[in-house]
Amino acid sequence: MQSSTRFYILGILFAAVWSSASVAAKIGLKAVQPLVLYQGRFTLAAVCMLVLIYLIQGKRLPKGKEWGQLALFGFFNVTLALGFFVYGIREVAAGIGALQVGLNPLVITVLAAIVARKKIPVKGVVALFLGILGVAICVYPLLLESYATPKGLMFLGLGTLSYSSAAVFYSKIDWKMDKLTINGWQSFFGALFLFPATFLAYDGSSVYNEYFFYPVIWLGIPLSVAGVYLWLWLLSKDTVRASFFLFLCPPFGLFYAYFILDEPFTLYTLIGLIVVMVAIYLGKVKAK
């Protein structure tokens, strides 16, 4: 299989897995507080990956400045980005929460261009515009029929900024570790930095039943292990092109929300999906 074909197949697979986060989080929040849900998610993910890395594969430990790089990446990519996300998704519909993921490519592209002093080709600008347009079309019915609070939207916006900053930071580091090791330690540090806030916010109202355990397992393993591994692989190949796959997350998320949470899947969703697919195709350009 050609490398470019593999890149796009794995990119679509990443979007299909990653876009389930909003729905899984909404289900989990029926039982527990937001930070409890994500504390469980990343603690589970970190334990699974670190056991695999060191007890089974026998990989080396990070050394020197790698500890700081992993800690900083985990802080922005997990503690801040997904901590803000889980608080935001509590106050908006799952479909609207998917908009946060769809807007990440614009922020990633802008930040990458600023840091690397690159120009985005006209074709890339058009693709960005179409991607945002497709996302807007997809969520239009939800904005009319669902709810969102200013605080929830603010948290989603802060999550977008943190996640995009982490993506650019990751792409600029000359990592000497494999992606599973990076993911395991960034999940560990993310959970570690999240714990004080989880402890202080805990009020005893959480109920540990199937609405907690099933979402935590899904969020912790398919998303935090497999999904993040795919994302890091995509970023290592091309940060800008990888960001375009995030445009697929809102349509996928709306599709999941329709079947699982009974949120609407309308003609707007179909039209938006087509526009997003066009943007993905055009997004095969590279920044100069």
Side-chain angles (χ1 to χ4, degrees), residues 9 21 35 43 53 56 73 90 95 115 120 149 151 159-160 179 200 211 228 232 248 273 277:
I9 290 176
L35 293 184
T43 300
I53 293 165
I56 298 177
F73 184 47
R90 183 178 60 169
V115 172
I120 306 299
T149 67
K151 183 171 68 173
T160 296
K179 296 174 183 61
L200 292 174
Y211 288 107
V228 174
L232 297 182
L248 274 180
L273 177 59
M277 292 302 293

Side-chain angles (χ1 to χ4, degrees), residues 173-288:
I173 299 296
D174 183 20
W175 298 99
K176 303 300 183 182
M177 296 170 286
D178 63 87
K179 296 174 183 61
L180 187 62
T181 302
I182 296 170
N183 193 12
W185 282 110
Q186 70 107 13
S187 296
F188 170 82
F189 282 115
L192 180 66
F193 296 144
L194 191 65
F195 181 76
T198 304
F199 178 78
L200 292 174
Y202 191 75
D203 60 10
S205 64
S206 297
V207 178
Y208 302 98
N209 55 22
E210 67 274 16
Y211 288 107
F212 167 71
F213 289 110
Y214 291 153
V216 162
I217 292 171
W218 177 259
L219 290 167
I221 299 177
L223 266 86
S224 294
V225 178
V228 174
Y229 181 90
L230 283 174
W231 177 237
L232 297 182
W233 184 86
L234 293 167
L235 286 176
S236 70
K237 299 300 180 182
D238 191 310
T239 305
V240 175
R241 284 198 302 163
S243 71
F244 281 98
F245 290 109
L246 296 176
F247 281 135
L248 274 180
C249 291
F252 272 123
L254 290 165
F255 182 78
Y256 297 150
Y258 171 75
F259 282 101
I260 299 174
L261 300 178
D262 293 323
E263 293 184 4
F265 190 93
T266 67
L267 180 61
Y268 287 98
T269 309
L270 179 60
I271 295 173
L273 177 59
I274 294 172
V275 174
V276 167
M277 292 302 293
V278 172
I280 296 291
Y281 177 77
L282 293 177
K284 293 189 294 184
V285 297
K286 292 186 176 181
K288 297 179 178 180

Side-chain angles (χ1 to χ4, degrees), residues 2-147:
Q2 295 182 351
S3 60
S4 60
T5 302
R6 184 186 301 113
F7 183 84
Y8 287 102
I9 290 176
L10 292 179
I12 293 172
L13 178 61
F14 159 76
V17 172
W18 198 248
S19 57
S20 66
S22 294
V23 171
K26 293 291 283 189
I27 295 172
L29 290 174
K30 293 180 180 180
V32 297
Q33 295 173 252
L35 293 184
V36 171
L37 179 66
Y38 270 44
Q39 187 73 56
R41 167 186 177 176
F42 288 106
T43 300
L44 173 63
V47 169
C48 289
M49 285 185 283
L50 293 178
V51 166
L52 175 61
I53 293 165
Y54 296 110
L55 295 187
I56 298 177
Q57 296 183 346
K59 300 286 186 179
R60 70 168 178 86
L61 287 168
K63 54 187 179 181
K65 66 179 181 181
E66 291 176 340
W67 287 110
Q69 292 169 342
L70 290 166
L72 189 59
F73 184 47
F75 179 70
F76 281 100
N77 200 52
V78 173
T79 307
L80 287 185
L82 296 174
F84 284 134
F85 172 82
V86 73
Y87 264 108
I89 199 64
R90 183 178 60 169
E91 303 198 19
V92 302
I96 295 177
L99 176 63
Q100 180 252 8
V101 181
L103 292 179
N104 276 330
L106 175 61
V107 183
I108 290 173
T109 303
V110 170
L111 289 178
I114 293 174
V115 172
R117 298 179 181 179
K118 293 181 178 180
K119 291 184 178 180
I120 306 299
V122 174
K123 196 174 182 181
V125 174
V126 172
L128 282 170
F129 172 78
L130 288 177
I132 295 171
L133 177 62
V135 169
I137 293 172
C138 284
V139 302
Y140 176 70
L142 290 178
L143 291 174
L144 295 178
E145 300 176 18
S146 301
Y147 70 93

